[in-house]
Amino acid sequence: MNLQYPKMSNNSLLTRRRALRLGLATLTCMGAYAQGKSIARGQQAQTLEDSEREFTVVGEASLKERAAAKGLIYGGAGGFEELLDESYADAVKRECDILVVGNELKWDKIHPSQDKFDFEEGDWLVEFARDRGMLFRGHTLVWHQAVPDWLKNTIDSQNAEQLMVNHIREVAGHYAGKMHSWDVVNEALDDGEFRKTLWLDNIGPEYIDIAFRAAHEADSQAMLVYNEIGIEHDAKQREGVLKLLEELKAKGTPVHALGIQGHIWAVGYPNNVNYEELRQFLSEVASLGLKILITEMDVIDSGTPAGIETRDRLIATIYEDFLSVALDEPAVTAVLTWGLSDRYTWINSHFPRSDGLPSRPLPLDEQMNRKLAWKAMARAFDSAPSRSADCNQHCKNSVKLAGKKN
Ligand code: XIL
């Protein structure tokens, strides 16, 4: 599975080649689906064609309550305009203990011109979270997308480091003391190699270390996260991430956690996720002394069958399989989905289905009802090993930030 999708984000239409590939992959996937090809889930083999698979959940407790019962944090991404929708805001409050900002803290929104920072929507979102006793999470200080034109036109190898560090100081400084965690650097690798970005071109690979140090100076309390895409699907990406994290730790870079985005393609599943390798990877990251967050989970259902029942079963299967493996690793301390309800998802615009039907990537449907994917998540939390004994400094700060009793 390649990592094309971040590159497509400025283009909401599928290219013909991609549509063709998705079509072919769908056939492969459906082949596996029909033949009941076995997949690794934990130590067990499950079958995708198993329409008997039960997603039974006991009780009505929310995802945040089930996660918290295991010492985990569950939450989702939200944006300023989405959260003005009261039914969405209520659902977020009911299900989530942490809010991550979808787009409002990205460069193009928060730093619209060289001398101007615009914190208005970000501040509103902080208040939204605080008023509801939720933690708040920042995304993202350094990325190759959402780059404002002024920056593209100004940056050169002489000023790049200063521009980046100044941005981090201002933004992380503004929110210091309010953040559970920050995605300091997002998606620096592509297929395990340094991604060609304006930061790499103008500063060199050391931009990552510099960014983390600047973030730590600006906010010494937030958990600082290296966030990456494609880890679930690509062995080279896992190798590259591990190497990068080892190097950062060896240099004493203040990186505290790895963020695994968790945008999982349903097409090609289960062959596109190697759970044994993923387990090994998680344990190697943990052995570096890092925490792990699942930061942006959703299931991309482009190219899957139209029928809602079949689709929802496939999506739920992926949620439960993936989270069961991830949560077996004690270093995984939080799970976030990229949104909460199918009413607000980037999948519809970035990976539209060729049949024009709306995507169903998230735990709640468009009417805020709990779907099978919700049950799959609830089951994964209910059967996760408890990590409540391990409340480290970040965890204590988090508890304090949300005004909760420890
Ligand atoms: C996406 C947003 O959801 C879209 O609204 C925006 O147009 C593009 O970015 N990985 C990330 C997120 O780290 O920032 C991306 O969010 C999704 C992929």
Side-chain angles (χ1 to χ4, degrees):
M1 177 59 67
N2 62 46
L3 301 173
Q4 289 302 309
Y5 61 102
K7 289 175 197 154
M8 291 173 54
S9 62
N10 293 331
N11 177 2
S12 60
L13 292 174
L14 287 177
T15 61
R16 277 181 60 129
R17 254 181 77 206
R18 178 154 191 89
L20 187 65
R21 204 166 58 228
L22 279 176
L24 290 174
T26 308
L27 290 178
T28 318
C29 169
M30 289 307 107
Y33 201 79
Q35 290 156 28
K37 200 156 187 155
S38 67
I39 59 168
R41 177 187 166 256
Q43 301 306 319
Q44 298 164 278
Q46 299 279 327
T47 55
L48 270 186
E49 116 295 3
D50 181 8
S51 58
E52 302 300 308
R53 180 159 166 172
E54 296 269 351
F55 291 97
T56 314
V57 171
V58 180
E60 290 299 315
S62 63
L63 291 178
K64 70 176 182 189
E65 288 164 332
R66 290 171 197 270
K70 299 301 171 73
L72 283 159
I73 304 172
Y74 169 69
F80 171 70
E81 283 182 14
E82 299 162 4
L83 290 166
L84 293 175
D85 170 348
E86 270 181 38
S87 56
Y88 187 57
D90 289 347
V92 166
K93 181 183 177 202
R94 191 175 65 237
E95 300 287 351
C96 299
D97 251 342
I98 185 165
L99 177 71
V100 59
V101 182
N103 289 320
E104 285 77 358
L105 304 189
K106 291 173 178 169
W107 271 76
D108 57 349
K109 287 278 178 69
I110 208 162
H111 199 165
S113 59
Q114 186 157 2
D115 303 320
K116 185 169 179 255
F117 288 86
D118 182 351
F119 295 113
E120 204 178 330
E121 293 185 356
D123 289 354
W124 186 92
L125 288 158
V126 171
E127 288 299 311
F128 177 95
R130 208 177 22 205
D131 288 351
R132 289 158 183 81
M134 296 168 72
L135 298 168
F136 192 65
R137 173 169 157 65
H139 173 85
T140 171
L141 293 168
V142 181
W143 195 27
H144 62 287
Q145 291 189 32
V147 177
D149 285 343
W150 72 261
L151 179 60
K152 280 183 208 151
N153 299 333
T154 314
I155 196 166
D156 61 32
S157 53
Q158 299 300 305
N159 63 19
E161 182 174 332
Q162 200 202 342
L163 285 168
M164 183 185 80
V165 167
N166 180 50
H167 174 87
I168 294 173
R169 276 195 194 131
E170 288 289 333
V171 178
H174 181 84
Y175 292 108
K178 297 176 178 159
M179 286 288 177
H180 161 271
S181 49
W182 258 116
D183 287 334
V184 178
V185 177
N186 193 30
E187 301 176 350
L189 302 180
D190 185 6
D191 241 352
E193 304 291 333
F194 281 110
R195 188 188 289 276
K196 209 176 145 28
T197 70
L198 76 173
W199 304 116
L200 185 75
D201 285 351
N202 289 294
I203 304 178
E206 60 274 23
Y207 82 87
I208 300 176
D209 172 66
I210 297 169
F212 275 94
R213 289 180 196 275
H216 192 55
E217 258 179 49
D219 183 348
S220 61
Q221 292 197 320
M223 175 190 273
L224 302 183
V225 181
Y226 175 71
N227 197 45
E228 191 51 274
I229 195 164
I231 287 175
E232 319 74 20
H233 294 304
D234 185 337
K236 282 201 221 137
Q237 189 76 331
R238 287 194 289 274
E239 254 175 60
V241 167
L242 206 51
K243 184 160 168 271
L244 173 63
L245 292 175
E246 279 164 3
E247 285 168 6
L248 293 175
K249 288 300 284 185
K251 267 191 219 158
T253 308
V255 54
H256 307 127
L258 170 66
I260 296 182
Q261 291 189 4
H263 299 291
I264 305 189
W265 285 88
V267 158
Y269 193 84
N271 299 328
N272 58 2
V273 184
N274 183 327
Y275 283 120
E276 283 319 305
E277 286 183 14
L278 186 63
R279 272 181 195 284
Q280 180 63 26
F281 172 80
L282 295 172
S283 113
E284 285 177 70
V285 172
S287 72
L288 294 174
L290 294 168
K291 295 291 179 198
I292 302 168
L293 316 179
I294 309 300
T295 48
E296 305 184 14
M297 190 168 182
D298 52 19
V299 175
I300 303 168
D301 63 347
S302 304
T304 59
I308 285 181
E309 211 188 312
T310 315
R311 246 201 295 164
D312 279 3
R313 289 193 72 78
L314 178 55
I315 291 164
T317 299
I318 296 172
Y319 267 103
E320 193 176 352
D321 288 349
F322 180 79
L323 288 178
S324 305
V325 171
L327 296 178
D328 266 353
E329 169 51 61
V332 175
T333 55
V335 174
L336 290 105
T337 40
W338 202 240
L340 175 67
S341 146
D342 295 338
R343 189 181 294 179
Y344 300 111
T345 166
W346 73 306
I347 304 296
N348 282 330
S349 57
H350 290 68
F351 310 105
R353 294 175 56 87
S354 54
D355 56 18
L357 291 172
S359 291
R360 301 178 63 78
L362 289 163
L364 305 186
D365 71 11
E366 289 182 3
Q367 282 70 47
M368 310 298 152
N369 299 313
R370 293 168 169 178
K371 292 177 6 195
L372 221 49
W374 182 95
K375 291 191 174 183
M377 295 194 77
R379 286 169 59 83
F381 290 142
D382 288 350
S383 56
S386 177
R387 47 275 273 163
S388 50
D390 178 27
C391 196
N392 63 11
Q393 195 51 43
H394 288 301
C395 161
K396 290 196 181 108
N397 287 339
S398 304
V399 167
K400 205 171 71 203
L401 281 174
K404 294 182 197 304
K405 290 198 183 116
N406 198 347

